């Protein structure tokens, strides 16, 4: 892969978008490689947690590649939007936790990519924004939908209608990121959080993601049904026996992802 680096270390997959001369902007090749990575992650049973970040110290992803816009027809724009949305939905639907380590500019498609991840941690220099209105376009990779769901309509519309950029601290205040760390500590702090996840039952995490992602848009009653069926399914796993036994035996559980 030319623009997306993919490594697995100690059950963590590191996906790093690396197109630094263009601040990791998403062109067709980057999107294709990103999709391939997440298709591989889905199949790989060794991977338990994914950390997605941008190469360098300046940008997570500075958006979709603006070079494509001048010649893009409305029909191509629709296809481009659907393509980006599908890849980001693939990330969001992962049954393994995906953590965005936002290490700089997360603008347009970069902010949308971070929002498709399950958790977001930012470095102090990170900057978030949906600047599409400045370019005469709109957010097309899920920004008009995920941003209001994450931060509420007021904050979302402020960002989407003004195009203004917000710093990491403000992003944390409005709930766009979980926490903010110095850039030099970002990866180690995110790895600590990933490490805590690695101690827990993998199937429990998969079913939790299924219940939360599947239920969040449903009426409460339907969401509760989904939860009950996920609760039922987790009781088919061996790890739930191990989890309860270990607690009762006063020892640490040894989960087998079964
Ligand atoms: N698409 C294509 N190229 C991009 C890009 C994008 N979204 N964002 C940055 N780049 C390119 C720049 O064109 C520049 O390339 P060049 O050296 O060939 O001219 C390179 O990345 C470095 O960016 P530059 O603008 O020189 O850095 P800066 O520090 O002055 O500014 C930003 C950084 C992020 C504020 C600025 O690059 C920017 O506003 N980018 C566009 C963000 C955006 O609107 N994203 C949404 C797209 S829908």
């Amino acid at each position: 892969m030319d623009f997306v680096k993919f490594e697995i270390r100690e059950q963590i997959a590191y996906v790093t978008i690396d197109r630094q001369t263009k601040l990791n902007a998403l062109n067709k090749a980057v999107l294709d490689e990103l999709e391939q990575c997440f298709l591989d992650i889905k199949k790989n049973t060794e991977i338990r947690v994914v950390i997605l970040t941008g190469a360098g110290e300046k940008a997570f992803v500075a958006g979709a590649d603006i070079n494509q816009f001048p010649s893009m027809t409305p029909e191509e724009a629709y296809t481009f939007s659907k393509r980006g949305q599908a890849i980001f939905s693939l990330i969001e639907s992962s049954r393994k936790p995906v953590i965005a380590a936002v290490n700089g500019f997360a603008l347009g498609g970069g902010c949308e990519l971070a929002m498709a991840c399950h958790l977001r941690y930012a470095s102090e220099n990170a900057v978030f924004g949906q600047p599409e209105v400045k370019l005469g376009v709109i957010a097309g990779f899920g920004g008009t939908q995920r941003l209001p769901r994450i931060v509420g309509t007021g904050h979302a519309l402020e960002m989407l209608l003004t195009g203004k950029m917000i710093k990491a601290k403000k992003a944390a205040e409005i709930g766009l990121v979980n926490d903010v760390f110095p850039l030099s500590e970002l990866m180690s702090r995110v790895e600590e959080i990933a490490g805590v996840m690695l101690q827990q039952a993998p199937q429990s995490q998969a079913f939790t993601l299924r219940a939360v992602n599947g239920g969040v848009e449903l009426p409460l009653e339907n969401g509760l049904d989904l939860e009950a069926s996920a609760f039922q399914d987790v009781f088919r796993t061996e790890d739930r026996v191990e989890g309860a036994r270990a607690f009762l035996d006063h020892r640490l559980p040894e989960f087998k992802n079964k």
Side-chain angles (χ1 to χ4, degrees), residues 19-26 58-59 61-69 105 107-110 112 129-132 134-135 137-139 165:
R19 192 182 172 227
Q20 293 183 58
T21 53
K22 299 292 176 190
L23 303 186
N24 304 328
L26 304 170
K58 191 168 172 185
V61 167
D65 193 318
I66 298 167
N67 287 298
Q68 313 166 103
F69 288 176
F105 288 111
L107 303 175
E112 292 168 303
Q130 295 289 164
E132 290 85 354
K134 297 183 177 186
L135 300 166
V137 297
I138 71 165
M165 299 182 194

Side-chain angles (χ1 to χ4, degrees), residues 94-107:
S94 167
R95 293 287 162 85
K96 300 161 191 183
V98 183
I99 308 174
V102 182
N103 56 315
F105 288 111
L107 303 175

Side-chain angles (χ1 to χ4, degrees), residues 213-250:
N213 282 337
V216 79
E217 299 308 326
L218 297 177
L220 181 62
E221 207 169 316
N222 302 78
L224 291 172
D225 279 345
L226 188 66
E227 181 184 79
S229 86
F231 193 72
Q232 178 181 29
D233 287 342
V234 85
F235 269 75
R236 300 185 212 284
T237 67
E238 291 176 21
D239 281 347
R240 67 95 182 180
V241 179
E242 167 62 10
R245 276 207 187 120
F247 176 80
L248 297 171
D249 295 347
H250 305 286

Side-chain angles (χ1 to χ4, degrees), residues 108 111-112 115 129-134 137-140 142-149 151-165:
C111 187
E112 292 168 303
M115 289 191 288
Q130 295 289 164
E132 290 85 354
V133 282
K134 297 183 177 186
V137 297
I138 71 165
T144 66
Q145 303 306 307
R146 288 197 179 91
L147 190 55
R149 283 164 167 83
V151 303
T153 313
H155 289 302
L157 282 175
E158 188 175 331
M159 289 175 71
L160 289 160
L161 295 177
T162 66
K164 77 172 188 184
M165 299 182 194

